[in-house]
Amino acid sequence: MDKQNRRQFIRTGIRWILFGGMALVAGDLIFRKGEPLFGKNRKSGPTVWQLDPAKCIQCGRCATNCVKTPSAVKCTHAYSMCGYCNLCSGYFKPETKTLDTGAEKQLCPVSAIKRTFVEDPFYEYTIDEALCIGCGKCVKGCGAFGNGSLQLQVRHHLCDNCNDCSIARNCPSGAFSRVQLTDPYLLKGFGKKNL
Amino acid sequence: MRHKTVIVFILLILGIFLPSVMGVQRFPKPEFESGYVEPETQFPVPRAEFLAWMDVAVLLLSLSLATFLVLKKRSRLGVFWLSLFSLAYFGFYRQGCVCSIGAIQNVTLALFSGSYTIPLTVLFFFLVPLVFTLLFGRTFCAAVCPFGAFQDLVAVKPMPMGAWLNAFLGMIPYLYLGLALLFAATATDFIICRYDPFVGIFRMNASFGMFLFAGVLLLSGIFIARPYCRFLCPYGVLLNWLSRFSWKHMNITPAECIQCRLCENACPYDAIDFPQTKKDPAGRRKQVNRLILLALLLPLLVLGGAWTGGLIHSTLSGVNSKVRLARLLQTASVSKDQPEPPEITAFRSSGIAQQQLMAEVATIEHDFLTGSRIFGGFIGLVFGMTLIGLVRTPYRTDYVPNRGTCFSCAKCMDYCPVIKS
């Protein structure tokens, strides 16, 4: 075996070892739990980021830490939980006396909540997603004194689904996690079938 | 009406004293008499799964096409147009996520963490370019990676860097890869994504610092071709080593090299190895002495690296959010006049016992100690091997692409006057 052939032989050998190594990594990842990733109970679909409102403390970082401006996290209104209060603690600043839509009375810094009269004494509250910055001020108010029907959620038509979510990294309560694409939303007190 | 307001107020005052748990039905849903229909909460769907598989298909197709263009057609023009397509698709349309470079961290996290399962599409993004490189060389870098394509566009006036500068700057990717693996394995952070310079440009949205970083890279990229690929890219480390043992690899000349020296300055990345027919130009004795010295130095470098790694492990573990929280909790009682950090508020309301957190953090700290030592030793090894690589003068008769650093971009091919008969 001359020098050139020997080199070729070693090179080929290492190549097969490297192939084997890659196959091992792939095999370990695919068959790890004794069940192939592409099996029936597969959990290997693409993932998306989910905000768990039960853990969220409305610190306001969703508004400032998203790579998108404005943030892809927005207030989501679960109407079926709403009490349609006239004195909405998610809409009005505390100690507001006259309940009208004056900007100085609203908790929302960008007036993204629309208040419309339904029937005495009920009002409907709608989130204008184009305006909402995801600061969670209304969520805090609604959760403290109301039903908690206003909740922060990652809105998936806006989310870029970064591999390393910048909000998740900065979330103080660990409310963000990767979930399967099939179950992207999670609202408290809201039937799963509706999502 | 007045009655209701009073009740609401009483309930509000009660609400202050009630535990402020979310989702409490404090006010029953009204029974509307006006026929009002409650609107439905909208849940916009994320990007469909089949589109993720389409990305994998585009990756496979463009890699195959790149390989065909480089190895069979030897067409620089084809590679150029394909790289523009990749820049448009993986860069500006897909906005850079998920990419093969970042997928290193998903794979590492999945290997080390019990709870994280890697999506198959991400696994494909990690493995497919590796397999192609082991077969055909780094054709992924040539025309499929949007980062490479982007930097190739600005490389107007590339300058040779010299072997020593190339070798020393070339150690940064190992450092970056080592850190990325350490942070991904401990489920701390994905630093490759966090400090990704070009994704901000693809999205036209990034912090000022990241835009500045991208600007510096692109401006220096005018003179130093592909600075990210050569001196930062952690995936490039893997591709470099796989490419060295590749089954096929592009060559500068289609037939026999005639030593015309026309390609000497063709490569903007200093990836052409020149002929080296004189055995040991520094003298046989001197050469052997140098290699023996370096071989003796190598274990010392590894040990020194591991020792240094052990020293800095608590600095590195400070990146982990749980470790940070534990350290915050220990120092929080000192400064009572400042508002409580939200981390502590969240921890207090989570109901997790402090001992449980401390136990968890102790495990993480221990993992970091082990990981930092391995990381340090690895860097020592890389440093030693780089020195040995600089001293070695392998025998070579022709102008050939360096299998490790060559991006298979086919730029040198047009310089070769040899025509295949």
Side-chain angles (χ1 to χ4, degrees):
Chain A
M1 200 190 272
D2 62 22
K3 205 171 178 181
Q4 208 54 39
N5 271 342
R6 197 168 64 216
R7 253 188 205 171
Q8 202 56 47
F9 177 74
I10 293 171
R11 197 195 281 273
T12 313
I14 294 178
R15 186 183 315 129
W16 281 107
I17 291 170
L18 288 170
F19 264 127
M22 286 198 279
L24 264 180
V25 169
D28 179 49
L29 290 179
I30 292 175
F31 296 103
R32 173 159 284 191
K33 282 173 190 138
E35 177 179 22
L37 275 181
F38 35 80
K40 231 178 193 159
N41 304 321
R42 58 195 293 274
K43 280 257 168 65
S44 65
T47 56
V48 289
W49 289 98
Q50 186 181 69
L51 192 165
D52 183 354
K55 289 184 182 165
C56 172
I57 60 159
Q58 299 93 39
C59 63
R61 291 193 192 164
C62 285
T64 50
N65 278 295
C66 186
V67 293
K68 303 198 92 174
T69 9
S71 173
V73 169
K74 308 258 179 225
C75 177
T76 302
H77 194 185
Y79 292 100
S80 59
M81 286 175 67
C82 184
Y84 290 84
C85 314
N86 183 8
L87 175 57
C88 171
S89 56
Y91 184 84
F92 291 111
K93 278 182 183 164
E95 290 156 36
T96 302
K97 293 209 172 73
T98 46
L99 304 183
D100 57 51
T101 56
E104 76 280 7
K105 284 157 195 152
Q106 296 180 24
L107 256 183
C108 181
V110 289
S111 274
I113 307 180
K114 212 164 76 210
R115 170 179 152 102
T116 34
F117 177 72
V118 179
E119 61 181 58
D120 194 43
F122 302 123
Y123 287 82
E124 182 197 279
Y125 299 92
T126 326
I127 311 291
D128 186 346
E129 249 183 33
L131 295 177
C132 178
I133 55 167
C135 67
K137 286 199 168 80
C138 59
V139 179
K140 195 163 211 154
C142 179
F145 303 114
N147 286 352
S149 61
L150 295 173
Q151 301 178 26
L152 285 177
Q153 280 292 289
V154 178
R155 304 298 284 174
H156 287 288
H157 61 312
L158 304 167
C159 176
D160 275 345
N161 202 17
C162 299
N163 199 17
D164 179 43
C165 172
S166 164
I167 310 177
R169 187 171 62 234
N170 290 293
C171 177
S173 57
F176 275 74
S177 55
R178 293 185 183 86
V179 297
Q180 288 292 303
L181 180 72
T182 42
D183 261 334
Y185 292 96
L186 178 71
L187 286 187
K188 255 205 129 185
F190 204 86
K192 207 163 197 179
K193 61 181 192 301
N194 295 320
L195 300 181
Chain B
M1 168 72 204
R2 224 187 139 68
H3 249 76
K4 279 228 159 118
T5 321
V6 170
I7 292 169
V8 164
F9 258 101
I10 291 170
L11 279 173
L12 267 183
I13 291 158
L14 274 176
I16 300 167
F17 300 106
L18 285 171
S20 66
V21 184
M22 280 210 352
V24 186
Q25 196 78 16
R26 295 190 179 100
F27 307 100
K29 216 172 112 187
E31 280 166 27
F32 298 108
E33 285 149 14
S34 60
Y36 164 80
V37 185
E38 177 189 295
E40 220 174 285
T41 310
Q42 295 300 312
F43 296 106
V45 287
R47 194 168 180 265
E49 182 170 357
F50 83 90
L51 286 170
W53 285 104
M54 190 179 81
D55 296 339
V56 176
V58 173
L59 176 76
L60 264 169
L61 280 175
S62 49
L63 257 174
S64 310
L65 185 57
T67 308
F68 171 74
L69 286 171
V70 173
L71 292 177
K72 277 272 169 228
K73 293 291 274 185
R74 296 174 55 81
S75 157
R76 170 63 204 157
L77 197 66
V79 170
F80 172 75
W81 285 113
L82 182 60
S83 76
L84 277 194
F85 165 77
S86 301
L87 180 60
Y89 187 87
F90 294 112
F92 287 98
Y93 165 63
R94 280 302 299 122
Q95 311 215 298
C97 256
V98 59
C99 76
S100 303
I101 308 171
I104 299 172
Q105 304 163 116
N106 299 63
V107 171
T108 315
L109 181 62
L111 282 174
F112 281 86
S113 141
S115 55
Y116 176 68
T117 317
I118 191 169
L120 269 181
T121 46
V122 177
L123 186 60
F124 269 102
F125 259 84
F126 176 70
L127 279 179
V128 168
L130 294 185
V131 171
F132 264 81
T133 305
L134 195 48
L135 289 172
F136 306 111
R138 299 170 70 170
T139 49
F140 172 75
C141 302
V144 183
C145 179
F147 290 11
F150 204 6
Q151 292 171 90
D152 254 357
L153 286 182
V154 297
V156 185
K157 186 122 187 64
M159 296 193 305
M161 300 269 291
W164 281 79
L165 197 56
N166 266 318
F168 276 94
L169 291 177
M171 284 193 290
I172 303 173
Y174 289 89
L175 196 79
Y176 198 9
L177 176 70
L179 278 177
L181 292 182
L182 177 64
F183 286 134
T186 53
T188 298
D189 197 3
F190 279 8
I191 55 165
I192 300 174
C193 303
R194 184 172 176 179
Y195 299 110
D196 183 333
F198 300 114
V199 83
I201 296 181
F202 296 150
R203 295 174 176 166
M204 268 337 234
N205 210 333
S207 66
F208 174 72
M210 288 318 292
F211 268 132
L212 194 72
F213 183 29
V216 167
L217 275 180
L218 286 177
L219 279 178
S220 61
I222 298 173
F223 307 105
I224 307 162
R226 291 206 189 203
Y228 183 86
C229 307
R230 287 157 76 194
F231 307 128
L232 275 170
C233 183
Y235 197 58
V237 172
L238 306 182
L239 296 176
N240 180 315
W241 280 95
L242 291 177
S243 178
R244 291 180 197 207
F245 304 101
S246 64
W247 176 50
K248 303 254 171 188
H249 195 280
M250 63 145 266
N251 214 345
I252 303 169
T253 172
E256 284 281 294
C257 177
I258 55 167
Q259 323 265 333
C260 65
R261 300 179 58 205
L262 281 173
C263 65
E264 257 184 13
N265 298 321
C267 184
Y269 324 112
D270 304 328
I272 295 178
D273 282 337
F274 291 6
Q276 171 63 53
T277 47
K278 208 174 139 204
K279 268 225 154 192
D280 305 322
R284 177 86 184 153
R285 214 189 152 72
K286 210 171 172 186
Q287 179 77 350
V288 170
N289 281 346
R290 272 179 184 166
L291 281 173
I292 288 174
L293 185 72
L294 285 176
L296 289 175
L297 194 63
L298 192 62
L300 287 181
L301 282 170
V302 173
L303 282 176
W307 183 72
T308 318
L311 284 186
I312 57 165
H313 88 276
S314 63
T315 314
L316 293 174
S317 65
V319 180
N320 188 291
S321 58
K322 278 187 182 146
V323 176
R324 236 177 18 226
L325 172 64
R327 288 179 190 171
L328 254 179
L329 280 168
Q330 277 157 354
T331 53
S333 51
V334 184
S335 51
K336 273 224 165 84
D337 46 331
Q338 278 162 359
E340 191 179 55
E343 280 83 0
I344 292 182
T345 316
F347 177 69
R348 298 247 154 91
S349 66
S350 72
I352 300 167
Q354 194 154 336
Q355 284 97 326
Q356 195 190 330
L357 175 81
M358 290 306 171
E360 234 176 288
V361 165
T363 326
I364 298 172
E365 292 273 21
H366 184 261
D367 289 348
F368 260 98
L369 181 61
T370 319
S372 304
R373 282 187 178 147
I374 297 173
F375 165 66
F378 171 68
I379 296 306
L381 180 73
V382 169
F383 188 68
M385 293 301 279
T386 305
L387 289 178
I388 291 175
L390 280 169
V391 170
R392 266 181 72 240
T393 46
Y395 177 78
R396 213 180 289 116
T397 51
D398 299 333
Y399 285 90
V400 285
N402 181 304
R403 285 212 166 192
T405 52
C406 170
F407 296 127
S408 295
C409 71
K411 275 181 183 154
C412 54
M413 288 173 178
D414 291 344
Y415 289 78
C416 187
V418 177
I419 294 163
K420 200 175 181 182
S421 54

